[in-house]
Amino acid sequence: MADKPILFSAPIVRALFDGSKTQTRRIIKPQPPEGFDRHCWYDAPLYGFTRQPIPTCKWHIVRLHAYKGDRLWVRERWSGVHDFGETPPSERQSYTTPVGPVLRDEIWYWADGTPDFGDWEKPRPGIHMPRWASRLTLIVTDVRVERLQDISEEDAAAEGVPSDDNYAGSFAKEYCHRCGGSGLHGAFGQNYGVIEVDCAECETSKLRYRNLWNHINGPGAWDANPWVVAYTFTVMRGNIDQIGGA
């Protein structure tokens, strides 16, 4: 079992908190050459252990960020108070009690919204969040290598995209370039009148995930259909060292 950081944006952090996100997909780098079949792949964990490839097919080494049983501590956008503005994040230590480390209360997590009180420093990118400041821990329960477009409706929903119940009218533009997240789009009806119909570009979880992927990775990223690693996890609220101490 290993402990590793993982970076998420504010909307994704909120999806982790509300329980709608239990999977994440990361592009394999570098991508293998054409002609490799996923059933011929193997990974290379610690100590060089490998599974033997099928003799009749090409194979490729996949080095994963995490394995089943690993713990991932979430990095997100954050701020401290101005009093600590000149102190590097790694030196802003938490304090320790008999049951483990306790986080300072001089932290603002920007996934919670814009603060309306306090004297906070400018937001710091999640990549600079130290381990002691993390408040979410993910326990990896499954790892799969697959093509991006192999994602199912169920898995797309597990990626945290809005469900039908909370999507329409959300105006979350990252989920649809056509209707802007309204869930509706104009169409010409009888006598050339415009009526509102369900938007065909985001009517399923998979289509919403496709749009989100392109929003994050750029136009055409979905059509490129890269090989990805799909991680499934259990979300635990709490710092990774507090959970370990418990």
Side-chain angles (χ1 to χ4, degrees):
M1 183 181 74
D3 296 345
K4 298 179 180 179
I6 188 168
L7 185 65
F8 286 115
S9 65
I12 301 304
V13 170
R14 290 192 287 270
L16 292 171
F17 268 108
D18 68 25
S20 62
K21 186 172 180 66
T22 56
Q23 289 187 15
T24 188
R25 280 159 173 73
R26 303 295 166 111
I27 297 176
I28 292 174
K29 296 180 180 179
Q31 288 281 291
E34 290 296 327
F36 286 88
D37 183 89
R38 62 180 165 183
H39 300 297
C40 302
W41 289 37
Y42 71 89
D43 57 42
L46 299 176
Y47 312 115
F49 171 81
T50 60
R51 290 197 293 268
Q52 293 298 315
I54 301 172
T56 59
C57 67
K58 298 179 181 179
W59 51 285
H60 185 75
I61 295 175
V62 183
R63 299 191 182 278
L64 306 178
H65 176 69
Y67 297 86
K68 186 175 180 179
D70 285 354
R71 306 189 306 172
L72 307 175
W73 52 277
V74 174
R75 281 176 157 166
E76 57 180 294
R77 198 178 187 212
W78 66 290
S79 292
V81 294
H82 271 126
D83 288 349
F84 294 96
E86 300 301 319
T87 306
S90 60
E91 296 179 14
R92 302 183 190 186
Q93 300 297 323
S94 57
Y95 60 92
T96 303
T97 72
V99 295
V102 178
L103 303 186
R104 292 182 183 274
D105 59 1
E106 299 96 350
I107 292 290
W108 182 267
Y109 301 95
W110 285 80
D112 296 341
T114 303
D116 56 4
F117 65 92
D119 186 22
W120 304 100
E121 62 188 346
K122 66 180 181 179
R124 290 179 175 268
I127 193 67
H128 298 306
M129 171 175 276
R131 175 175 170 135
W132 66 262
S134 175
R135 58 177 177 165
L136 285 169
T137 303
L138 315 180
I139 312 299
V140 179
T141 58
D142 186 57
V143 181
R144 303 194 309 272
V145 173
E146 62 187 24
R147 288 281 194 178
L148 174 63
Q149 294 180 18
D150 288 343
I151 190 171
S152 65
E153 277 293 309
E154 181 180 8
D155 286 344
E159 279 277 359
V161 300
S163 66
D164 290 343
D165 292 336
N166 58 18
Y167 174 65
S170 66
F171 298 102
K173 296 181 179 179
E174 63 268 26
Y175 294 113
C176 190
H177 61 280
R178 188 181 188 192
C179 72
S182 69
L184 299 172
H185 192 266
F188 285 110
Q190 238 179 358
N191 301 321
Y192 298 101
V194 177
I195 59 175
E196 296 289 341
V197 297
D198 290 341
C199 181
E201 292 295 311
C202 60
E203 59 186 352
T204 67
S205 294
K206 186 170 181 176
L207 287 174
R208 290 167 203 160
Y209 183 69
R210 176 201 67 181
N211 297 338
L212 177 64
W213 185 272
N214 283 335
H215 175 80
I216 295 172
N217 297 286
W222 174 267
D223 292 337
N225 197 23
W227 286 99
V228 297
V229 183
Y231 298 100
T232 302
F233 49 79
T234 300
V235 181
M236 301 188 72
R237 299 188 181 190
N239 181 265
I240 187 169
D241 295 318
Q242 288 179 305
I243 292 171

